[in-house]
Amino acid sequence: MNKPVELIEFSLNGKPAAAAPGETILQVAKRSGVRIPHLCAKDGLEPAGNCRACVVEVKGERTLAPSCCRAPSAGMTVDSASPRAVAAQTMVLELLVSDAGQASAQHTHESELLFWADQWKAPRGRLPGREKVAADASHPAFEVNLDACIQCTRCIRACRDIQVNDVLGLSHRGAHAKIVFDQDDAVGSSSCVACGECVQACPTGALMPARGAGLAKIEREIDSVCPYCGVGCQLTLHVGRDAKGAEKVHYVTGRDGPANHGRLCVKGRFGFDYVHNERRLTVPLVRREGVAKDPADIERFKRGELPLAALFREASWDEALDLAAGGLARIRDTTPAGSPSRLAGFGSAKGSNEEAYLFQKLVRTGMRTHNVDHCTRLCHASSVAALLEGLGSGAVSNPVEDVAQADVILLIGANPASNHPVAASWMKNAVQRGARLILADPRATPMARFATWHLAFRPDTDVALLTGLLHVIVAEGLVDEAFVAARVNGYEAVKAAVAEATPERMAEICGIPADTIREVARAFATSKGSMILWGMGVSQHVHGTDNARCLIALSLLTGQIGRPGTGLHPLRGQNNVQGASDAGLIPMMYPNYQRVVRDDVHAQFEALWGSSLGQQPGLTVVEIIKEAAAGRITGMYVEGENPAMSDPDLDHARAAMARLEHLVVQDIFATETAILADVVLPASAFAEKWGSVTNTDRLIQIGRPALNPPGQARQDLWAIEQIGRRLGLPWAYWQGGDGDGHAAAEAPAARVYEEMRTVMEPLAGVPWSRLVREDAVVTPAEREDEPGHAVVFIDSFPTPDGRATLVPARFAAGPEQADSDFPFVISTGRVLEHWHTGAMTRHSNVLDALAPVATVSIHPDDAKQIGVAHGGALRVESHHGAIEGVADVTSAVNPGHLFVPFAYWEAAANRLTGSALDPFGKIPGFKVTAVRAFAVSG
């Protein structure tokens, strides 16, 4: 049992008070309802005690004490409201207001300095104010107003201690002292990554969102969830009116959610403006008669050479829905009995759980096929395949924040500093506290700065490196024999498979010295807690499932699972990849990973949905595109997905979609996929709807609407239901009184959720009412009156015998190998400012201004060899296609290795990638493609 915490009893303003060990007087005062002014102190920041606004009188002491730094002792008598303390507090506030108060009022309506000055009735204007300092407006996201700065150093501590970006500092001395970015650079040219932690920390308006957002009149504050990556940061949308009187999100702040504790990244904090972009779809569109589908139209439209009106005409919702559903019904009903379905659906991991559930139900019952999939097929399908096979569950074992309790962190094939920045901050915090980071990545990503070991292995040699580590663990007796005997099957097979994978042999393949392999293996196996986190650098390979099998083996053989600070965590790429998969948006499984081939499961869902269902698994994303190219899939419904940018061998994929007899696209922008559609339905952004999402930690959270969709755009759930009704389904989720689909009604989402919950055991204890009440509940949660399980697999695994199963893997080279004609290897991925295919972030004025250009990262030696300078034009060609981008000459990539982000239509990276698949996860090998590169003259 945990030993009870011994509280420290003392007196505060004449009343008994008690502090937990480590608590300050200010923290106890806040908890007790005693107000003490404070400016340099902020929850989550280490106290600095430099503003002295919070001084209190301690009986028997000569000087006043800063309550933000002082911990009470037993029997201490503290008075924050004595005449002496109040006089000192008021004087400090008066001096600070005299210096920066006028400027603070000019930059923000939420000045903490002016709030406390007003509360304490501190005189204003009795001293001359500070000389005007020119604002630094060089950054698209926020501005620096040093005339309002009181040098409380909150911003420095937020940057240094919370986000660990180390950009801000205090320069000069005395009257010349000031806050600086890097070496007193303009913020726009500094190394700042625009996480905005400093903006959120600033109490005076010295750091504020750009374009005067701090002076906007805020009418509503809506709590919701970030719509970007899988970390699932909670945030608040601050809504007011624009100059024309329309509702607008003026700025975003982080909330103290379980996954982020107030932290956000540049996308979550500043990338919200896409919802107001003038290119939002606001009316249903129908392809004009006689206008053929041409993949070349995509780039003509993107370049502004082809107006949308040349391809589509506007339609009413009734006409658009009738045409959309009618085309799907025609193909469904004319397919010969016993023949494979000619229909397919792509759902979205960018929408809610309710949308994912209802969409897969529509495809299975209305379109009568299991050909339904989403982007998990292109990110973590191989990870899920290996986890289901080995552990009986595709979910993470431990939350990201568990790195705080780990001694060793193995981060492989992931760049969280760009893709999951808040998750990266937890890892950096862990390193600050003494954890050792193993970064296994061919690139020197930003996390390399924090790594004890950076294993820059050769691309495509993951299995060689990992089996080398496993060999050491087995050969040197580092296996947790008791754990393996009690809870693991298949040890002998893995032992035999790695017997010849000596560090010396694997070093020749992967390029990591044998001694380093041994050192890392020993550190991982012998630490008090080792945790593995991985990304798409592991999964997006034709051997991605083998990569994940090796990681599972590392964890199981060393007993590093089932405890805090250990375990396996595939970092989810999109805000609801975990939830969409849980909800059944995959072709071989119903909700809760129940296989369609099982007779009992099949019967259960036929009874639940009142529909006859097929029992053969459907096709995956890439398989569907191949069948469309062959003319065997002729109709598709794509909701919130963009395969014309995300699929491999992109020219082939676009040609396949252009060949479709009938394509329905439901989205918020005219995406590359929408340009090839027959019917386009304008949808709702995440900030415009009710819905739940499940983050990478298995945390289900509630999103609330801050706005209505623009124009005639409608709720996604409403549109899916309308298609379902027209396909003959007796659905009534959207009932009278819920609105017409434009208003973001809560009831329809709640009805879908409660139906979904009946077939998803992990949600048994999470009714809609609890979710709305608590905002976030970790799953699985068996009971409504108990918290869910953050750490799973503590005593057993969800398999028939309760044991995990190891599956051996051996190194084999992938199909894409460099040669004399194609001497380079590329990998694709994301950059910090952009996300997925850019459908949202390229429509954010702030984010696109920060990263407007498609780059190709190339090593200086390679750049010199082909004659391209940094910033010069570079052409890259593969066996599958070609792109042109701007050379980013950097030693972050090794010689022979190029990196290409895939968010840019101007240089669509997936034109280069092939469609060879992992045989288990059916995922394409985005991370390794053989290419050649040339400097482009002129």
Side-chain angles (χ1 to χ4, degrees):
M1 294 179 63
N2 293 328
K3 186 178 180 181
V5 175
E6 294 186 10
L7 298 179
I8 301 162
E9 297 182 353
F10 69 108
S11 171
L12 176 61
N13 292 4
K15 295 182 179 180
E23 271 194 308
T24 65
I25 294 171
L26 180 60
Q27 288 172 325
V28 176
K30 282 184 176 183
R31 183 161 46 75
S32 305
V34 175
R35 297 212 302 174
I36 302 175
H38 55 280
L39 292 167
C40 68
K42 188 176 188 298
D43 290 344
L45 295 178
E46 285 294 316
N50 61 4
C51 79
R52 283 320 200 247
C54 71
V55 291
V56 295
E57 190 168 6
V58 179
K59 185 177 181 180
E61 295 188 4
R62 182 176 60 85
T63 59
L64 298 175
S67 61
C68 68
C69 295
R70 185 69 178 271
S73 58
M76 178 185 282
T77 299
V78 178
D79 196 342
S80 71
S82 70
R84 183 184 176 204
V86 171
Q89 295 161 3
T90 306
M91 180 187 67
V92 169
L93 293 169
E94 179 184 0
L95 291 171
L96 291 173
V97 168
S98 296
D99 193 36
Q102 183 177 356
S104 183
Q106 291 171 348
H107 298 307
T108 178
H109 291 321
E110 303 293 332
S111 170
E112 293 178 45
L113 169 61
L114 297 180
F115 169 82
W116 286 115
D118 289 344
Q119 294 296 306
W120 257 241
K121 297 181 173 55
R124 292 200 192 187
R126 296 196 348 181
L127 296 173
R130 180 184 302 172
E131 184 177 338
K132 180 70 176 176
V133 179
D136 179 354
S138 61
H139 198 283
F142 66 98
E143 60 187 31
V144 183
N145 310 297
L146 289 183
D147 54 351
C149 179
I150 59 172
Q151 295 175 17
C152 65
T153 70
R154 275 195 194 177
C155 57
I156 295 174
R157 286 173 285 146
C159 183
R160 179 193 65 205
D161 300 336
I162 294 181
Q163 296 278 3
V164 200
N165 289 322
D166 301 321
V167 178
L168 283 159
L170 188 62
S171 177
H172 306 306
R173 294 290 183 272
H176 301 289
K178 67 173 184 174
I179 302 294
V180 297
F181 287 76
D182 291 337
Q183 301 299 311
D184 202 5
D185 297 319
V187 61
S189 56
S190 73
S191 62
C192 174
V193 295
C195 69
E197 198 72 41
C198 60
V199 176
Q200 184 156 307
C202 179
T204 67
L207 294 160
M208 287 301 298
R211 295 173 296 282
L215 298 176
K217 182 180 179 181
I218 302 303
E219 299 176 356
R220 291 182 293 119
E221 296 180 352
I222 306 298
D223 293 338
S224 193
V225 185
C226 179
Y228 289 112
C229 82
V231 173
C233 298
Q234 289 190 12
L235 47 73
T236 298
L237 301 150
H238 298 259
V239 180
R241 303 277 172 176
D242 63 16
K244 297 179 180 178
E247 284 198 320
K248 177 183 178 181
V249 178
H250 285 285
Y251 58 92
V252 165
T253 52
R255 295 173 62 210
D256 188 16
N260 64 312
H261 297 294
R263 306 178 188 201
L264 294 174
C265 76
V266 62
K267 293 186 285 290
R269 195 180 302 278
F270 299 116
F272 59 84
D273 59 328
Y274 73 92
V275 300
H276 301 300
N277 191 288
E278 61 184 11
R279 288 174 288 191
R280 281 287 300 270
L281 292 171
T282 60
V283 65
L285 301 174
V286 172
R287 181 166 289 274
R288 291 188 180 277
E289 239 182 282
V291 176
K293 302 173 187 177
D294 183 354
D297 287 344
I298 293 173
E299 292 195 9
R300 286 199 286 264
F301 167 72
K302 288 289 188 178
R303 288 194 298 264
E305 300 166 2
L306 181 68
L308 202 58
L311 301 174
F312 301 96
R313 63 174 176 83
E314 295 184 356
S316 69
W317 267 100
D318 280 339
E319 181 191 12
L321 290 166
D322 288 345
L323 289 170
L328 297 172
R330 182 179 63 254
I331 295 169
R332 177 195 67 187
D333 296 341
T334 57
T335 300
S339 298
S341 174
R342 294 189 288 132
L343 293 175
F346 289 168
S348 177
K350 295 182 283 291
S352 67
N353 285 316
E354 296 73 33
E355 290 162 2
Y357 173 83
L358 197 61
F359 187 82
Q360 61 87 32
K361 182 180 176 183
L362 168 76
V363 174
R364 289 183 156 116
T365 60
M367 294 164 60
R368 299 175 192 164
T369 178
H370 289 301
N371 295 337
V372 60
D373 210 352
H374 74 294
C375 71
T376 194
R377 192 64 45 206
L378 305 175
C379 54
H380 268 303
S382 52
S383 303
V384 171
L387 288 166
L388 285 169
E389 165 193 78
L391 307 184
S393 168
V396 302
S397 68
N398 297 57
V400 173
E401 203 177 350
D402 249 20
V403 295
Q405 302 182 66
D407 181 44
V408 170
I409 304 163
L410 171 55
L411 177 65
I412 178 168
N415 180 15
S418 293
N419 299 339
H420 306 86
V422 170
S425 74
W426 300 125
M427 299 175 205
K428 291 184 279 188
N429 293 155
V431 171
Q432 285 181 318
R433 290 189 288 266
R436 293 168 291 169
L437 174 64
I438 306 164
L439 176 66
D441 198 300
R443 286 196 297 153
T445 64
M447 293 302 292
R449 180 163 72 95
F450 302 92
T452 302
W453 299 276
H454 175 206
L455 310 180
F457 61 92
R458 297 185 183 112
D460 203 37
T461 63
D462 314 60
V463 171
L465 171 63
L466 296 173
T467 53
L469 295 173
L470 290 168
H471 174 95
V472 174
I473 289 167
V474 172
E476 296 189 3
L478 302 176
V479 174
D480 186 335
E481 300 284 356
F483 183 90
V484 170
R487 300 185 57 185
V488 179
N489 299 322
Y491 172 46
E492 292 302 324
V494 167
K495 182 178 180 180
V498 303
E500 296 184 356
T502 64
E504 286 73 19
R505 289 181 177 179
M506 296 304 101
E508 293 178 4
I509 298 170
C510 70
I512 303 301
D515 287 346
T516 302
I517 293 175
R518 288 191 172 89
E519 184 181 3
V520 167
R522 293 163 186 160
F524 182 92
T526 60
S527 86
K528 66 177 182 181
S530 293
M531 187 171 178
I532 305 175
L533 302 102
W534 72 93
M536 287 172 270
V538 163
S539 60
Q540 287 182 334
H541 289 274
V542 295
H543 50 75
T545 304
D546 278 343
N547 291 346
R549 286 166 173 162
C550 290
L551 295 176
I552 292 167
L554 270 177
S555 183
L556 293 176
L557 289 184
T558 55
Q560 298 283 11
I561 197 166
R563 309 187 313 278
T566 67
L568 297 157
H569 192 118
L571 290 159
R572 308 295 178 172
Q574 296 196 35
N575 64 319
N576 201 34
V577 166
Q578 181 67 58
S581 299
D582 294 346
L585 201 58
I586 43 182
M588 66 288 296
M589 294 178 184
Y590 291 115
N592 203 32
Y593 305 96
Q594 301 177 80
R595 295 190 177 275
V596 301
V597 297
R598 285 182 48 181
D599 291 338
D600 57 337
V601 171
H602 176 74
Q604 174 194 0
F605 279 93
E606 283 197 330
L608 174 68
W609 292 341
S611 179
S612 178
L613 301 169
Q615 207 166 350
Q616 290 299 314
L619 302 173
T620 63
V621 164
V622 180
E623 291 171 331
I624 287 168
I625 294 298
K626 287 182 176 179
E627 291 297 288
R632 290 187 287 270
I633 293 287
T634 59
M636 285 181 62
Y637 181 9
V638 178
E639 182 256 346
E641 196 51 84
N642 192 15
M645 273 291 283
S646 61
D647 272 39
D649 198 357
L650 199 53
D651 289 336
H652 174 267
R654 290 177 175 180
M657 283 182 278
R659 188 179 177 183
L660 290 168
E661 176 186 328
H662 189 63
L663 174 60
V664 180
V665 172
Q666 184 173 314
D667 218 313
I668 60 176
F669 291 107
T671 62
E672 290 79 359
T673 305
I675 297 302
L676 302 176
D678 295 278
V679 182
V680 180
L681 306 177
S684 51
F686 195 73
E688 298 160 354
K689 66 181 74 174
W690 280 95
S692 66
V693 288
T694 307
N695 80 340
T696 191
D697 293 336
R698 294 177 276 102
L699 185 75
I700 186 166
Q701 304 187 94
I702 193 73
R704 297 176 177 85
L707 306 162
N708 274 325
Q712 295 181 42
R714 295 291 185 265
Q715 294 294 312
D716 289 82
L717 274 180
W718 179 84
I720 295 168
E721 176 170 288
Q722 291 298 315
I723 295 286
R725 289 180 182 179
R726 285 165 171 80
L727 290 175
L729 301 174
W731 287 356
Y733 302 103
W734 213 281
Q735 300 173 2
D738 290 337
D740 64 353
H742 185 76
E746 177 184 356
R751 291 186 191 108
V752 176
Y753 175 86
E754 287 299 336
E755 179 184 312
M756 176 179 70
R757 198 166 68 89
T758 64
V759 294
M760 293 184 63
E761 186 179 346
L763 301 181
V766 196
W768 182 265
S769 57
R770 179 183 183 184
L771 196 53
V772 172
R773 182 175 67 250
E774 298 183 17
D775 286 332
V777 182
V778 69
T779 61
E782 291 90 355
R783 294 171 53 89
E784 188 173 353
D785 58 351
E786 293 179 356
H789 300 283
V791 178
V792 293
F793 315 141
I794 296 172
D795 300 311
S796 65
F797 297 95
T799 58
D801 62 359
R803 296 165 65 90
T805 298
L806 297 175
V807 179
R810 291 179 173 85
F811 171 75
E816 292 275 352
Q817 295 295 311
D819 56 29
S820 57
D821 292 327
F822 295 90
F824 297 100
V825 167
I826 67 153
S827 60
T828 67
R830 296 174 182 165
V831 291
L832 171 64
E833 297 80 7
H834 288 304
W835 181 71
H836 203 49
T837 66
M840 291 158 62
T841 55
R842 296 299 305 278
H843 289 97
S844 163
N845 294 329
V846 170
L847 298 178
D848 209 41
L850 287 170
V853 177
T855 58
V856 179
S857 298
I858 183 171
H859 190 272
D861 293 348
D862 294 332
K864 182 177 180 181
Q865 182 181 352
I866 65 174
V868 66
H870 184 77
L874 185 64
R875 180 175 176 83
V876 183
E877 299 176 352
S878 74
H879 293 282
H880 315 285
I883 63 168
E884 289 187 9
V886 174
D888 171 31
V889 180
T890 171
S891 338
V893 293
N894 285 327
H897 183 209
L898 309 179
F899 174 78
V900 183
F902 64 86
Y904 295 89
W905 64 265
E906 310 94 315
N910 285 328
R911 282 189 150 159
L912 302 172
T913 56
S915 56
L917 300 179
D918 177 296
F920 305 98
K922 302 294 182 72
I923 191 171
F926 289 124
K927 295 306 179 190
V928 179
T929 303
V931 298
R932 54 193 173 207
F934 310 94
V936 179
S937 59

